[in-house]
Amino acid sequence: MVFPMLRFVKGNPVQIGEQVGAFLEKEVTEVSGYNVIKGFLNIVISDTFYLDFFNGIKDKSDYGLVKESADDAVMVEYSSPNTNKPLHLGHVRNNLLGYSVAEILKASGKKVYKTQIINDRGIHICKSMLAWQKFGKGETPENTGLKGDKLVGNYYVAFDKAYKEEIATMVASGIDEKVAKKEALILLDAQQMLQKWEAGDDEVVSLWKTMNSWVYKGFDETYKNMGVDFDKLYYESDTYLLGKDVVADGIKKGVFYKKEDGSVWIDLTNEGLDEKIVLRSDGTAVYMTQDIGTAIQRVKDYADINGMVYTVGNEQDYHFKVLFLILKKLGFSWAEQLYHLSYGMVDLPSGKMKSREGTVVDADDLMNDMTQTAATISEELGKLEEYSTDEKQELYKMIGLGALKYYILKVDPKKRILFNPEESVDFQGNTGPFIQYAYARIQSILRKADFDSGTTVTLSAVEELHAKEKELIKQLQQFPETIQLAAENYSPALIANYVYDLVKEFNSFYQQVSILGEVDEQNKILRVQLSRKVAEVIESGFKLLGIEVPQRM
RNA sequence: GGCCGCGUGGCGCAACUGAAUAGCGCAUCAGAUUUCGGCUCUGAGGGUUGGGGGUUUGAAUCCCUUCGCGGUCACCA
């Protein structure tokens, strides 16, 4: 407080601190004292101020949340899976991050559209389709009892196996490996199938629809379990041709240029990047073309949005840098408000996850395992006598997923996570269940507090605030600004850390002062109110992370 | 190799974007309470913030340099 002033006011920091402090104490009612240490001025805020503040928020059920303003909308994209295999751990981080950031933006006052673009076409899905045709023997989710996405994923693996076998045979008969990889019949068949799809071949399209519908059913189940949702779905099969006309337009504007072979490029060397292709020489679109077109389409679909958030792994950092730059050069005003929510990979102790090598951690399995672990722990310790089997099951899921979600979201998105399935996820210390437990404990207190705790407590009634009460109020006060900060930084980790600090503060308070045992009636009321507010903020903060809180555990 | 990101006690993470003695969890040790739910609380030990230099009254944070790890540099997505 004092040091920045030294640039303008010459003098001894300690003396200046003394002067400013004395002035504030005298002139500002909220300041009841001050001291100066090593040139840092500390001011003491009066109990009245704390209590007034608390009384102002205690009955606000939406404390900290800013009402959504219609003219400030943003679209958040996350998940966006391929439809040839089930969701895995990498998608889990993506989904949790995207969902949470969307909720945080909402809480900060923006209107938010959650979306994803489903990669439902292309060679990958043709591989699954082809393998199913060849080896499937009419298997369906119904007649096998398998989840649709798992079934289709199995055929993706089956394709790869057959493909590798064919290559091996070809190599054994003296064909060069590189050639074999390109000319294996099964691969050529898959490529042919893709061409048929693009030509609208009835049989292929029908199979494609059927198998995708299986996958969607499976995905829906996973999303539901995970607790994420979307307002609008885009499908690559609808959008993959978008963007070509924009390219033509961009050539006229001089943003792009055409090479002799007909391919179209943008030169970004002045920006320290490379040249990037936006249209192939045969006139077909590349990934970038599609993304340009899709972005523009979205703004057409939702005229109120002036920004977008793309939740995509950091291996695509370069792609998004280029994409945003292109959109700016094309002159779209909203291009300034695009953000790539880039996150680090989730690695296993064994290294990278490879779906074809079976080293992936499946999202459904992971959630089930977490629920199972939570059940084991809870059965030893829980106070759940009154709960039915179903209620218990629901609670275990709440705790298990709480642990998983918190574990992933408390880490800065940019950092990579090393995920050890054996050690799995903590349930003690800075964890979701630790916070859920604090919440459940407060609920227990509130259940017992059956007296009228609704009155407003004044300072004259309690005389003085306990140091722990002040600390709690201080912590509560930071909730609104934490939400704003988290929104500006697209960082659920800030919310997680905040809630954790609040809980630590509450636990310390709980240990030091008696709540229901307090003899002074007014004091007891205040402490119950404080506890209730803390619980509300925990619930509200956790909601932003997509984590639920239990009445008992 | 060019570009991007990350490097903080043994391990896992923080630090309000430049401030006071760099916090917290796990683990270790010592305590408290055990009739508001002990999945709790209090305390101790453990750090030259990868290394070196610089800017500043002040640097984990900004600049330069160097090392390590990862990513990315397709007419793939």
Side-chain angles (χ1 to χ4, degrees):
Chain A
M1 172 147 193
V2 176
F3 283 106
M5 294 166 56
L6 293 179
R7 298 210 169 85
F8 312 103
V9 188
K10 292 260 187 289
N12 180 322
V14 180
Q15 275 175 12
I16 295 174
E18 285 287 344
Q19 287 168 6
V20 174
F23 177 82
L24 289 175
E25 184 177 21
K26 207 169 147 197
E27 302 293 331
V28 182
T29 50
E30 286 83 5
V31 176
S32 66
Y34 73 94
N35 60 57
V36 179
I37 299 167
K38 290 186 184 173
F40 286 85
L41 170 65
N42 298 303
I43 54 177
V44 181
I45 305 295
S46 70
D47 284 1
T48 324
F49 177 79
Y50 285 109
L51 200 54
D52 285 352
F53 169 77
F54 180 68
N55 284 328
I57 64 160
K58 79 177 165 65
D59 296 322
K60 277 194 190 166
S61 59
D62 60 347
Y63 173 59
L65 312 179
V66 176
K67 230 178 167 185
E68 147 186 320
S69 78
D71 56 344
D72 194 8
V74 64
M75 185 170 264
V76 178
E77 176 196 299
Y78 66 98
S79 202
S80 303
N82 290 345
T83 57
N84 62 331
K85 54 181 188 286
L87 268 33
H88 62 246
L89 182 53
H91 296 110
V92 172
R93 187 176 197 188
N94 182 307
N95 280 288
L96 299 181
L97 258 177
Y99 176 86
S100 178
V101 165
E103 292 299 312
I104 290 167
L105 288 172
K106 240 190 250 181
S108 79
K110 287 189 192 301
K111 180 159 177 53
V112 174
Y113 300 104
K114 289 182 253 189
T115 192
Q116 63 170 329
I117 180 156
I118 299 162
N119 297 297
D120 63 344
R121 52 139 254 132
I123 191 72
H124 56 270
I125 181 70
C126 286
K127 287 177 181 175
S128 289
M129 286 157 60
L130 186 69
W132 184 85
Q133 261 185 350
K134 285 174 106 80
F135 322 117
K137 297 176 192 145
E139 275 194 6
T140 67
E142 289 76 27
N143 67 28
T144 58
L146 272 178
K147 209 161 154 276
D149 52 334
K150 298 281 191 313
L151 180 76
V152 172
N154 288 346
Y155 286 102
Y156 186 66
V157 175
F159 174 91
D160 197 60
K161 190 166 161 254
Y163 175 49
K164 283 199 174 122
E165 280 168 8
E166 192 177 337
I167 293 171
T169 329
M170 289 167 78
V171 170
S173 69
I175 298 169
D176 182 75
E177 189 178 340
K178 276 184 188 164
V179 178
K181 275 185 179 170
K182 276 189 180 168
E183 294 183 357
L185 287 177
I186 193 163
L187 180 68
L188 297 180
D189 281 352
Q191 284 168 346
Q192 197 190 10
M193 193 179 238
L194 180 62
Q195 281 172 8
K196 278 186 176 172
W197 181 89
E198 292 195 6
D201 179 276
D202 285 344
E203 197 190 332
V204 171
V205 168
S206 154
L207 176 62
W208 171 76
K209 279 185 180 162
T210 305
M211 288 183 74
N212 269 344
S213 77
W214 295 344
V215 172
Y216 296 146
K217 221 172 159 194
F219 281 176
D220 284 347
E221 203 180 314
T222 306
Y223 288 141
K224 198 172 163 233
N225 261 322
M226 209 182 296
V228 303
D229 55 20
F230 303 90
D231 300 308
K232 165 79 178 174
L233 302 180
Y234 285 93
Y235 295 89
E236 200 189 298
S237 52
D238 295 327
T239 64
Y240 79 106
L241 295 174
L242 290 176
K244 287 199 205 177
D245 48 341
V246 183
V247 170
D249 210 43
I251 296 174
K252 278 185 215 147
K253 284 186 188 162
V255 177
F256 306 126
Y257 63 93
K258 199 173 241 184
K259 285 194 178 174
E260 284 163 18
D261 62 5
S263 58
V264 181
W265 298 71
I266 184 163
D267 183 359
L268 298 170
T269 47
N270 284 338
E271 278 80 8
L273 305 173
D274 300 321
E275 294 185 327
K276 189 83 189 172
I277 190 161
V278 292
L279 211 58
R280 293 194 188 100
S281 53
D282 63 3
T284 56
V286 291
Y287 184 43
M288 188 63 76
T289 327
Q290 196 187 133
D291 270 7
I292 294 168
T294 306
I296 295 167
Q297 184 61 43
R298 286 172 175 177
V299 178
K300 277 186 196 156
D301 293 346
Y302 295 89
D304 53 341
I305 61 174
N306 52 24
M308 284 183 248
V309 177
Y310 293 84
T311 313
V312 181
N314 65 7
E315 76 271 17
Q316 294 198 39
D317 282 356
Y318 184 75
H319 173 77
F320 282 100
K321 209 183 235 184
V322 173
L323 173 65
F324 296 168
L325 197 51
I326 290 176
L327 288 166
K328 270 179 212 168
K329 283 180 176 272
L330 287 171
F332 296 104
S333 58
W334 44 263
E336 301 292 334
Q337 304 298 323
L338 299 174
Y339 183 76
H340 175 203
L341 176 52
S342 165
Y343 59 91
M345 295 290 99
V346 186
D347 292 319
L348 302 175
S350 53
K352 264 192 148 180
M353 290 193 288
K354 296 248 170 70
S355 49
R356 277 174 295 205
E357 289 167 24
T359 55
V360 290
V361 174
D362 179 81
D364 296 318
D365 293 349
L366 177 61
M367 290 192 283
N368 285 336
D369 289 351
M370 295 302 300
T371 305
Q372 196 48 52
T373 309
T376 312
I377 294 174
S378 298
E379 268 159 24
E380 291 169 19
L381 302 156
K383 302 211 164 190
L384 305 171
E385 299 81 9
E386 319 164 23
Y387 277 30
S388 70
T389 316
D390 281 357
E391 284 170 330
K392 280 185 188 169
Q393 198 51 40
E394 199 173 317
L395 178 71
Y396 299 151
K397 190 179 150 194
M398 194 188 285
I399 299 171
L401 282 184
L404 176 64
K405 290 180 178 183
Y406 190 89
Y407 182 84
I408 288 176
L409 290 176
K410 76 171 178 185
V411 183
D412 186 304
K414 281 204 287 284
K415 293 191 174 173
R416 50 193 283 258
I417 293 181
L418 189 68
F419 192 91
N420 190 330
E422 269 85 55
E423 292 172 16
S424 200
V425 174
D426 288 337
F427 285 78
Q428 278 175 35
N430 185 1
T431 67
F434 172 87
I435 291 164
Q436 287 171 323
Y437 173 74
Y439 180 88
R441 207 157 60 160
I442 295 174
Q443 296 312 307
S444 171
I445 293 171
L446 297 178
R447 259 179 255 125
K448 289 177 182 153
D450 51 359
F451 53 91
D452 175 22
S453 59
T455 55
T456 295
V457 177
T458 62
L459 194 63
S460 56
V462 294
E463 287 183 27
E464 199 184 14
L465 289 178
H466 191 281
K468 289 289 171 188
E469 294 169 342
K470 273 197 257 188
E471 288 302 319
L472 263 189
I473 295 174
K474 251 198 251 178
Q475 194 65 31
L476 285 171
Q477 198 190 357
Q478 284 169 13
F479 187 47
E481 57 197 74
T482 302
I483 291 179
Q484 293 304 320
L485 198 64
E488 283 163 29
N489 291 290
Y490 304 92
S491 174
L494 295 178
I495 301 286
N497 287 328
Y498 167 78
V499 176
Y500 176 67
D501 286 341
L502 176 67
V503 163
K504 283 220 72 169
E505 203 58 70
F506 178 80
N507 283 342
S508 175
F509 161 83
Y510 176 89
Q511 200 76 9
Q512 281 214 14
V513 307
S514 192
I515 300 169
L516 296 178
E518 171 60 39
V519 284
D520 183 272
E521 192 64 17
Q522 291 293 303
N523 233 320
K524 182 159 83 171
I525 291 173
L526 176 64
R527 286 174 187 173
V528 169
Q529 290 175 346
L530 266 173
S531 304
R532 178 182 298 129
K533 199 68 212 174
V534 168
E536 280 174 20
V537 170
I538 292 172
E539 182 175 19
S540 167
F542 257 32
K543 195 159 171 256
L544 300 180
L545 303 179
I547 304 176
E548 293 177 292
V549 285
Q551 297 304 308
R552 304 167 206 271
M553 66 187 278

